[in-house]
Amino acid sequence: MITCYLKYTIDPYKVKEFEEYGKMWMPLVEKYGGKHHGYFLLHESANNIAVALFSFKSLADYEKYRIQSINDLDCKEAYLLAYNSKCIINYERNFLKPILN
């Protein structure tokens, strides 16, 4: 299993737009075989950082999702929401290997 950790720098005045973006993406990851663990906004801390976590069985499955999502109309709509609203300033993507019982 591989877990994608996305750390976003967001516009703190566009949190609602970012929340809408996150709600759009969660079912899309699931549509392509992943497990979305949610989007998280920091609490009692920086107001411009958000995190998303989602997992796939393998890095190959994640890459397959990335390729397939390019032509998905719902994925394009989510990208356009972020692009047009400019709610995301930048992001970092890292891959984690979970240690589970």
Side-chain angles (χ1 to χ4, degrees):
M1 178 185 292
I2 194 83
T3 299
C4 184
Y5 168 86
L6 282 163
K7 179 183 174 189
Y8 295 92
T9 303
I10 63 172
D11 183 330
Y13 298 102
K14 296 181 179 176
V15 171
K16 286 184 183 181
E17 292 86 344
F18 181 79
E19 287 177 354
E20 184 179 346
Y21 168 82
K23 289 177 183 178
M24 292 172 79
W25 266 114
M26 286 187 275
L28 295 172
V29 168
E30 305 262 340
K31 176 180 177 178
Y32 288 102
K35 171 65 177 150
H36 210 294
H37 308 292
Y39 282 81
F40 305 87
L41 297 169
L42 294 184
H43 182 71
E44 298 294 329
S45 186
N47 67 350
N48 68 336
I49 302 296
V51 172
L53 294 164
F54 56 91
S55 299
F56 280 88
K57 290 181 183 175
S58 67
L59 189 56
D61 286 337
Y62 168 79
E63 292 296 335
K64 192 165 100 174
Y65 145 76
R66 294 273 299 178
I67 291 166
Q68 292 174 329
S69 69
I70 290 169
N71 296 314
D72 185 291
L73 293 179
D74 293 326
C75 294
K76 287 180 182 182
E77 185 180 346
Y79 279 123
L80 282 175
L81 170 68
Y83 179 80
N84 290 332
S85 71
K86 298 186 179 6
C87 62
I88 298 171
I89 297 168
N90 63 42
Y91 66 91
E92 298 174 29
R93 182 183 298 128
N94 292 286
F95 294 95
L96 309 171
K97 179 181 171 185
I99 300 171
L100 307 168
N101 278 340

